[in-house]
Amino acid sequence: MANASMVLQDVFVRFGQRQLAGPILILLILAMMVLPLPAFVLDLFFTFNIAISVIVMLVAMSVIKPLDFSVFPTVLLVTTLLRLSLNVASTRVVLLEGHTGPGAAGRVIEAFGHFLVGGNYAVGLVVFTILVVINFVVITKGAGRVAEVAARFTLDAMPGKQMAIDADLNAGLIGEDDARKRRATIAEEADFFGSMDGASKFVRGDAVAGILIMLINVIGGLFVGVLQHNLDIGTAAKTYTLLTIGDGLVAQIPALIISIAAGMVVTRVGDAQDVSQQFMVQLFSDAKLLYLTAAIIGLLGLIPGMPNFVFLLLAAGLAAMAWKIEKRSRTSAAPAPVAVAPAAPREAQEASWADVTPVDVLGLEVGYRLIPLVDKGQDGELLRRIRGLRKKFAQEVGFLVSPVHIRDNLELKPNAYKILLKGVEIGDGEAFPGSLLAINPGRVAGQVPGTATRDPAFGLPAVWIEPTLREQAQAYGYTVVDASTVTATHLNHLILSHAAELLGRQETQALLDHLAKEMPKLVEDVVPKAMPLGVLQKVLRNLLEESVPIRDMRTIIEALADSAPRSQDPEVLTAQVRIALGRSIVQDLYPGGAEMQVMSLDPQLERVLVQAVAGGGDGAGIEPGLADTLLREAVAAAQRQESVGLPSVLLVPASLRTLLSRFLRRSINQLKVIAHSEVPENRIIKVTSIIGGRV
């Protein structure tokens, strides 16, 4: 005995009281189905069932987001099992002890069967039937349908939400941890609504079971009362029917409460307020509507024969509520008095060098409606995104871009913005705070209402929509982003495309200073001993112009240290650096050691171009018709590559790479031109298109 006690204590200590609550509850439910229970214990469990249902409904009303009550599907299962086990236990007691009187199954069943329906089993049957109809036909059916649609829409919207997370992550707007949390939230939403779709069937089945249990109890009570206890049919029918109705009402009322809670959870829209707050704000916040309602109710109260006092009393109450709301809104809208400072005497000042303001490398001008997004005092969302954008750019490209100088411009439209590079506009767009931009990636299942526009960063068709349409748009396949993300993505795209212009001598020197902390001797041997700073800057700019990151500065510096004694030409040095970076260049284009499916030049065309480069040096000797044919066929080949999901890569001899890259990328931005010498030896090359075969 002592050993058993020690084992139990060890179990309680190891698992804790909270972990044991669930198993104990399930064991009690199973015990109620098998073991006979006295009337007092039945009263206790019936009262506990009612209390649990009320708690569940209050929690469902107070949650902000459905995921705040993620255990609700399990709660539905447990409460349904609890009600069914109580039905089994009470049925056993009713059939065994029902002949002794209405109190045989406990005081709770007696109260519901006798006092609530006046001891009239006909009234009890009607009330029970109405409760079952309300629960089964109205609430349960509607909640189940909403749960089914919500589960379907949530699953359909998952790809769009994942794309939005990937877009924010790639743009540097969020970190890896935030992306992981958002993906986990999306998975939890899908699991929750899927579970709710199935759990709603528990409540529906419980209502059906309640009807069947009532019929079985009435018929079984008649047989038991007449055949076993020798009661007359009238007495047996009245006694067992009242007990059965009381038992049914005790079970159906908590079931109705749980069904209401399920409907509240699955019909929630918005995650800023709970149900009570949304109800009061959205229903009783407009004084005009309340005045109009009071007038209509008052007119109805003046009609002869109507309950005039009740209607007029209600109209007066609504009018008083509207007056209070209107008074409160006027008080809150009244501006606070502002003290006017005396004007300072204007003094004529001479011009000075302080009046000469330097031009910002990067600038962002916004209309007045976008000021909250960039306000430091309000910790504007766009400011945080720009900080993350600069950090991600430094990590991926290899140098720290200049800070973005933000200022308001009253000459712009209220929702417009401009992006400036060294004082020159390089991009503009519009953003609408409070609205969302639904971007069409090319495959959407439907249209959403809103203002048609285009994504300012990539020119994709898009629609400005209300926040309430986010789920619908994501379900259709749109990528949905807010106003700050639109502006930040546009800025990030322009910074990446103008990275070469952003690398000035100051940034180059800062990059060298940072590198010198780790390898001072190597840096010193290159700059200034082997080459001046300007040559290094031109080499790095050449790399950035072709979207080659300069993260691997060690390899770049070592390649320059080897090549600088032989040549100071930036183009020659760039070619040598690209050979040293060949593995990373190819890896970015074909990750994971994949087969290189590239475009190539026709051998005859290749010989003609090599001769032109050898003769003119810069390719000026290329015949215009040949150049036109080359450009046209390169565009067609690049489009074919993109149509099958392959990168547009042209593989050429090293002597032609610089010429063709400059010539073609003006018309084909996405085209990458690489030299044979840049391809690692272990890579497999497959030519998918020949350019110039008909020349």
Side-chain angles (χ1 to χ4, degrees):
M1 190 69 182
N3 292 334
S5 177
M6 292 290 293
V7 170
L8 286 175
Q9 290 179 3
D10 183 63
V11 169
F12 276 94
V13 171
R14 181 173 299 177
F15 292 99
Q17 296 179 353
R18 292 186 178 181
Q19 292 178 298
L20 289 174
I24 289 174
L25 183 60
I26 298 298
L27 290 175
L28 288 175
I29 291 173
L30 296 176
M32 285 188 288
M33 291 184 179
V34 179
L35 303 175
L37 299 178
F40 175 76
V41 178
L42 274 180
D43 289 344
L44 185 63
F45 278 116
F46 275 124
T47 308
F48 174 74
N49 186 29
I50 296 172
I52 284 291
S53 61
V54 173
I55 291 172
V56 171
M57 186 183 68
L58 294 178
V59 172
M61 293 180 64
S62 62
V63 296
I64 303 298
K65 298 181 291 185
L67 284 181
D68 294 341
F69 200 8
S70 58
V71 75
F72 189 55
T74 306
V75 170
L76 282 179
L77 172 61
V78 174
T79 53
T80 302
L81 286 176
L82 179 60
R83 286 193 301 275
L84 293 175
S85 64
L86 285 173
N87 279 329
V88 173
S90 60
T91 298
R92 183 188 297 108
V93 176
V94 167
L95 295 179
L96 289 176
E97 307 292 340
H99 63 282
T100 60
R107 299 289 297 174
V108 176
I109 291 178
E110 181 184 5
F112 276 83
H114 187 74
F115 296 106
L116 291 186
V117 297
N120 191 323
Y121 60 87
V123 175
L125 284 174
V126 172
V127 172
F128 178 81
T129 304
I130 291 173
L131 287 177
V132 170
V133 168
I134 293 173
N135 191 16
F136 183 74
V137 178
V138 180
I139 300 175
T140 304
K141 187 176 181 180
R145 178 58 178 166
V146 172
E148 180 183 352
V149 173
R152 186 185 305 132
F153 276 19
T154 302
L155 291 174
D156 292 342
M158 282 189 69
K161 292 180 179 179
Q162 295 286 2
M163 289 174 62
I165 295 171
D166 293 338
D168 288 350
L169 182 62
N170 294 331
L173 307 179
I174 58 175
E176 200 61 48
D177 293 338
D178 294 334
R180 195 177 297 107
K181 290 178 182 178
R182 288 173 59 177
R183 290 193 183 98
T185 301
I186 292 173
E188 289 176 2
E189 286 180 354
D191 293 340
F192 174 78
F193 285 107
S195 300
M196 282 299 301
D197 183 24
S200 61
K201 306 300 188 296
F202 296 149
V203 185
R204 188 174 180 88
D206 183 35
V208 176
I211 299 173
L212 296 177
I213 290 171
M214 185 193 70
L215 295 175
I216 293 170
N217 283 353
V218 171
I219 298 172
L222 286 175
F223 276 102
V224 172
V226 174
L227 299 179
Q228 292 189 1
H229 301 290
N230 299 320
L231 300 176
D232 59 273
I233 296 179
T235 303
K238 182 178 181 180
T239 301
Y240 287 99
T241 302
L242 281 176
L243 288 172
T244 301
I245 291 169
D247 185 17
L249 289 176
V250 171
Q252 281 303 311
I253 290 177
L256 180 62
I257 296 173
I258 293 291
S259 299
I260 295 171
M264 286 183 177
V265 171
V266 297
T267 55
R268 285 296 313 274
V269 177
D271 55 1
Q273 298 172 319
D274 59 29
V275 173
S276 301
Q277 292 171 332
Q278 288 182 328
F279 185 83
M280 295 302 298
V281 170
Q282 299 181 21
L283 207 59
F284 296 104
S285 61
D286 195 335
K288 295 180 180 179
L289 295 180
L290 291 178
Y291 276 130
L292 182 60
T293 306
I296 295 172
I297 298 297
L299 290 175
L300 291 175
L302 297 177
I303 299 175
M306 297 290 286
N308 307 96
F309 177 75
V310 176
F311 275 79
L312 293 176
L313 181 63
L314 183 59
L318 290 173
M321 183 184 297
W323 179 78
K324 287 185 177 180
I325 293 173
E326 192 176 24
K327 182 180 179 182
R328 192 185 306 119
S329 62
R330 284 199 302 266
T331 304
S332 61
V338 180
V340 180
R346 306 185 73 179
E347 298 181 1
Q349 297 181 353
E350 294 290 336
S352 66
W353 283 107
D355 298 321
V356 181
T357 57
V359 177
D360 299 311
V361 178
L362 277 175
L364 175 65
E365 297 182 355
V366 298
Y368 69 86
R369 288 183 181 170
L370 301 182
I371 292 177
L373 297 179
V374 296
D375 188 6
K376 277 187 181 180
Q378 304 179 28
D379 192 22
E381 179 69 19
L382 185 55
L383 286 179
R384 297 199 303 270
R385 293 184 181 274
I386 290 175
R387 287 195 292 267
L389 184 151
R390 292 183 67 229
K391 183 177 181 180
K392 189 172 181 63
F393 180 89
Q395 294 172 346
E396 292 184 351
V397 179
F399 73 96
L400 185 62
V401 71
S402 301
V404 181
H405 185 77
I406 305 173
R407 59 178 176 269
D408 61 310
N409 187 348
L410 298 180
E411 296 180 358
L412 294 175
K413 295 180 179 179
N415 295 99
Y417 65 88
K418 287 197 306 184
I419 301 172
L420 309 175
L421 175 62
K422 299 177 182 178
V424 180
E425 180 181 340
I426 58 173
D428 63 350
E430 283 189 298
F432 296 87
S435 299
L436 300 174
L437 185 65
I439 304 171
N440 183 358
R443 304 178 302 277
V444 294
Q447 301 295 324
V448 290
T451 306
T453 182
R454 285 194 171 273
D455 171 37
F458 305 101
L460 298 174
V463 183
W464 284 105
I465 62 174
E466 295 296 324
T468 54
L469 299 175
R470 175 195 288 269
E471 299 292 336
Q472 180 183 350
Q474 290 176 337
Y476 286 162
Y478 287 90
T479 300
V480 183
V481 294
D482 58 15
S484 61
T485 304
V486 171
T487 309
T489 304
H490 192 189
L491 178 62
N492 180 61
H493 175 68
L494 292 177
I495 289 176
L496 288 173
S497 59
H498 294 80
E501 299 180 60
L502 293 171
L503 183 68
R505 295 206 174 194
Q506 183 177 349
E507 288 78 14
T508 306
Q509 186 61 57
L511 184 60
L512 282 179
D513 294 341
H514 176 70
L515 188 64
K517 296 177 182 178
E518 297 182 1
M519 47 193 78
K521 184 61 177 172
L522 178 61
V523 173
E524 184 182 348
D525 289 342
V526 177
V527 180
K529 289 184 178 181
M531 66 175 64
L533 182 65
V535 175
L536 174 62
Q537 179 195 2
K538 291 178 181 178
V539 171
L540 297 179
R541 277 188 165 186
N542 289 340
L543 295 173
L544 293 173
E545 284 178 355
E546 299 191 58
S547 302
V548 178
I550 56 174
R551 297 189 306 268
D552 190 6
M553 281 298 298
R554 179 169 183 168
T555 301
I556 295 174
I557 293 295
E558 289 179 350
L560 292 175
D562 295 336
S563 304
R566 296 189 298 273
S567 175
Q568 292 288 305
D569 186 355
E571 303 301 333
V572 175
L573 295 175
T574 302
Q576 296 301 316
V577 171
R578 286 184 60 94
I579 293 173
L581 296 174
R583 184 177 288 103
S584 65
I585 294 174
V586 173
Q587 180 67 27
D588 291 339
L589 297 172
Y590 300 95
E595 182 182 59
M596 295 180 57
Q597 300 185 13
V598 301
M599 303 176 293
S600 182
L601 297 175
D602 180 74
Q604 183 180 353
L605 175 61
E606 190 175 290
R607 284 194 298 270
V608 172
L609 293 176
V610 169
Q611 292 173 1
V613 173
D618 57 351
I622 300 179
E623 191 266 330
L626 177 61
D628 182 66
T629 303
L630 173 63
L631 179 59
R632 187 174 61 254
E633 293 196 13
V635 170
Q639 291 176 348
R640 289 195 299 271
Q641 289 283 105
E642 290 186 353
S643 65
V644 295
L646 296 174
S648 302
V649 179
L650 177 61
L651 186 63
V652 298
S655 59
L656 298 178
R657 200 210 66 80
T658 303
L659 167 67
L660 293 179
S661 178
R662 290 178 176 176
F663 175 66
L664 295 175
R665 70 170 179 248
R666 298 174 183 174
S667 302
I668 316 172
N669 294 327
Q670 71 278 12
L671 180 65
K672 306 298 180 187
V673 183
I674 63 175
H676 291 285
S677 56
E678 298 169 7
V679 180
E681 296 179 356
N682 59 345
R683 286 282 188 163
I684 300 174
I685 300 174
K686 180 182 179 182
V687 178
T688 57
S689 298
I690 301 292
I691 298 175
R694 295 186 299 273
V695 178

